């Protein structure tokens, strides 16, 4: 590797000056009392001595410093740049030790930061793996349990056979649901999300979601509606498919955690900063204050027992947050325990 060295002569200049000063003083005093008692000859001798000592020591010191830098410090640079080629050797290498110290310190602090990031990532990976296996375990064991019971003889009983197969099917459905969410969240967290930004009518998107979730809502006799008549389209900029996923997750939650005979209401507001805010409101179970800050974390659930009838992957809101943030939008939640919740998010208004 050819390294670009920037020479500095300051060190050699100064050192040569001190050596000259001391040697001229010393030899001057010594000579005065021994060889040259007449001062005229002595001064000429000392001038000649000073010039030669200065030149010789300057050359020797500069040569030694260069040699030292090339041999020793270059090796440090080489070792350091061997680890990371882009950090230290970008600028010219200098014989100035202060600069070298600064650069090595910078290198060390960069490395420390890199190590911290790697540690965080490793902890994240471990936690993610733990959560994934935990999420998959329950439905997997349920399916296995029903299948084993069937094989052990329950399949001879016609009614039991149907019942257990239906339950096993429900377990598989849940597995598929979790795997799909996992796939989505890992893509989102790896920054693999290719947004296809276009202009679309968000009122239409909400209508589509209502159509898709009508049956689910009917099971709890929940009414899906708008808070107003939106007769004209409201155009926003975003990835229509991903935003539909966001609205679906929010409406699914509003139904899941909604009361029987309740409602889910969607509304829009145009903000002065050129954004559109979409609100999804329900009169369901609500969320206690202390749980609100953690809602958007992966796998976070208010009810940790897992025994409740409505169980998702715990990834729904994490996915929502990622998608909205990828659109440079903001997500907000307001909730009152046992009164209801309102989730809202912003998107860029299209012209
Ligand atoms: P899950 O798959 O458990 O629904 P989410 O990420 O979608 O995961 O939601 C996280 C938690 O937030 C839920 O477990 C639930 O306790 C709470 N939550 C989400 N939406 C609502 C809502 N509309 N009303 C009450 N609680 C909600």
């Amino acid at each position: 590797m050819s390294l670009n060295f920037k020479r500095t002569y300051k060190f050699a200049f100064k050192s040569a000056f001190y050596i000259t000063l001391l040697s001229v003083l010393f030899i001057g005093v010594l000579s005065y009392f021994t060889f040259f008692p007449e001062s005229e000859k002595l001064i000429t001798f000392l001038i000649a001595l000073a010039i030669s000592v200065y030149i010789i020591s300057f050359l020797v010191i500069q040569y030694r410093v260069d040699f030292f830098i090339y041999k020793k410090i270059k090796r440090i640079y080489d070792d350091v740049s061997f680890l990371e080629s882009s950090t230290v050797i970008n600028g010219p290498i200098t014989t100035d030790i202060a600069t070298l110290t600064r650069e090595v310190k910078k290198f060390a602090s960069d490395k420390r930061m890199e190590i911290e990031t790697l540690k965080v990532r490793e902890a994240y990976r471990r936690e993610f793996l733990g959560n994934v296996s935990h999420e998959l375990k329950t439905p997997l064991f349920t399916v296995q349990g029903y299948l084993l019971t069937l094989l052990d003889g329950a399949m001879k009983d016609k009614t039991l056979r149907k019942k257990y197969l239906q339950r096993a099917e429900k377990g598989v459905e849940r597995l598929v649901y979790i795997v799909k969410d996992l796939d989505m969240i890992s893509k989102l967290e790896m920054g693999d999300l290719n947004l296809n930004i276009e202009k679309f009518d968000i009122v239409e998107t909400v209508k589509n979601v209502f159509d898709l979730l009508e049956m689910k809502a009917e099971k709890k006799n929940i009414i899906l509606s708008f808070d107003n008549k939106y007769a004209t389209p409201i155009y926003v900029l975003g990835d229509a498919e991903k935003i539909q996923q966001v609205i679906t997750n929010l409406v699914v939650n509003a139904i899941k955690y909604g009361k029987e005979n309740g409602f889910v209401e969607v509304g829009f507001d145009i903000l002065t900063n050129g954004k559109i805010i979409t609100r999804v409101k329900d009169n369901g179970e609500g969320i206690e204050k202390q749980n609100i800050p953690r809602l958007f974390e992966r796998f976070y659930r208010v009810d940790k027992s897992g025994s409740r009838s409505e169980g998702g992957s715990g990834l729904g809101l994490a996915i929502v947050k990622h998608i909205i943030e990828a659109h440079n939008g903001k997500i907000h939640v307001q909730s009152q325990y046992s009164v209801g919740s309102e989730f809202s998010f912003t998107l860029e208004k299209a012209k």
Side-chain angles (χ1 to χ4, degrees):
M1 191 188 331
S2 79
L3 290 173
N4 176 15
F5 274 68
K6 189 176 94 190
R7 274 193 178 73
T8 61
Y9 297 100
K10 215 162 79 186
F11 179 76
F13 273 140
K14 272 194 180 172
S15 309
F17 175 74
Y18 292 134
I19 292 170
T20 311
L21 195 70
L22 290 174
S23 50
V24 167
L25 265 176
F26 178 70
I27 294 171
V29 172
L30 211 67
S31 312
Y32 182 73
F33 293 108
T34 51
F35 322 114
F36 305 106
E38 326 102 74
S39 60
E40 220 172 86
K41 271 188 182 168
L42 178 64
I43 288 171
T44 326
F45 169 71
L46 287 180
I47 290 172
L49 180 78
I51 292 170
S52 31
V53 168
Y54 189 83
I55 291 171
I56 291 166
S57 45
F58 174 80
L59 290 176
V60 171
I61 291 166
Q62 187 61 33
Y63 171 76
R64 289 297 303 155
V65 165
D66 276 359
F67 180 75
F68 175 74
I69 296 297
Y70 269 101
K71 225 179 139 190
K72 300 268 171 56
I73 296 185
K74 183 177 175 291
R75 200 153 72 212
I76 299 177
Y77 271 101
D78 283 347
D79 287 349
V80 165
S81 56
F82 175 71
L83 293 170
E84 176 57 85
S85 59
S86 61
T87 45
V88 176
I89 55 150
N90 270 352
I93 289 175
T94 156
T95 52
D96 181 356
I97 296 292
T99 314
L100 176 74
T101 314
R102 207 173 51 232
E103 299 230 329
V104 171
K105 263 192 190 152
K106 184 180 165 291
F107 172 81
S109 87
D110 284 356
K111 285 288 142 201
R112 209 176 306 129
M113 262 166 59
E114 222 173 290
I115 290 166
E116 287 304 318
T117 322
L118 286 176
K119 272 190 193 160
V120 169
R121 248 189 247 165
E122 174 58 19
Y124 163 85
R125 196 187 63 85
R126 236 182 287 156
E127 188 202 318
F128 191 79
L129 270 180
N131 282 327
V132 168
S133 48
H134 177 80
E135 288 305 318
L136 295 177
K137 233 164 35 192
T138 323
L140 208 57
F141 289 165
T142 311
V143 174
Q144 191 188 36
Y146 285 119
L147 293 181
L148 285 176
T149 321
L150 282 168
L151 286 173
D152 279 350
M155 66 181 181
K156 287 184 193 125
D157 182 329
K158 219 173 167 189
T159 45
L160 269 188
R161 184 168 65 203
K162 187 156 185 212
K163 195 166 132 194
Y164 285 1
L165 278 175
Q166 272 168 344
R167 287 190 186 169
E169 210 284 315
K170 266 235 159 334
V172 174
E173 202 179 283
R174 197 165 143 62
L175 278 173
V176 171
Y177 175 83
I178 295 170
V179 170
K180 270 192 189 158
D181 272 4
L182 281 172
D183 186 43
M184 182 77 162
I185 199 91
S186 52
K187 274 194 188 131
L188 288 165
E189 295 197 347
M190 279 189 314
D192 239 12
L193 188 72
N194 291 321
L195 291 181
N196 179 19
I197 302 286
E198 54 183 338
K199 174 179 163 179
F200 68 93
D201 176 13
I202 192 150
V203 181
E204 197 55 41
T205 312
V206 174
K207 280 183 190 158
N208 287 343
V209 174
F210 281 175
D211 287 347
L212 288 167
L213 298 174
E214 206 178 297
M215 267 176 42
K216 199 177 175 63
E218 262 171 21
K219 278 188 194 155
K220 283 177 94 171
N221 206 19
I222 287 177
I223 295 171
L224 306 177
S225 65
F226 286 103
D227 67 344
N228 259 312
K229 274 206 178 85
Y230 294 100
T232 49
I234 298 178
Y235 289 113
V236 291
L237 283 179
D239 185 317
E241 213 177 288
K242 301 269 174 355
I243 297 302
Q244 174 152 339
Q245 162 103 59
V246 166
I247 298 168
T248 306
N249 287 8
L250 293 180
V251 176
V252 164
N253 278 353
I255 298 171
K256 265 199 313 199
Y257 307 108
K259 285 194 186 105
E260 294 265 342
N261 308 318
F263 69 81
V264 177
E265 208 174 70
V266 177
F268 310 97
D269 278 316
I270 300 170
L271 302 179
T272 44
N273 58 358
K275 305 257 180 190
I276 299 279
I277 185 159
T278 306
R279 306 176 200 278
V280 179
K281 193 174 167 185
D282 65 65
N283 62 341
E285 63 187 52
I287 306 150
E288 282 168 301
K289 226 180 176 164
Q290 72 267 23
N291 293 315
I292 292 182
R294 301 197 57 194
L295 283 188
F296 296 97
E297 286 176 23
R298 276 180 287 113
F299 302 107
Y300 185 78
R301 287 201 192 106
V302 173
D303 178 0
K304 300 220 167 29
S305 64
S307 57
R308 50 155 201 219
S309 55
E310 304 286 7
S313 61
L315 293 171
L317 287 180
I319 291 175
V320 164
K321 187 165 187 266
H322 271 297
I323 296 178
I324 294 302
E325 285 180 352
H327 282 80
N328 295 322
K330 292 228 162 23
I331 175 115
H332 188 67
V333 53
Q334 266 180 315
S335 187
Q336 210 178 334
Y337 191 54
S338 71
V339 174
S341 317
E342 184 184 281
F343 286 81
S344 53
F345 64 88
T346 57
L347 279 178
E348 200 76 41
K349 184 176 181 289
K351 288 181 184 86

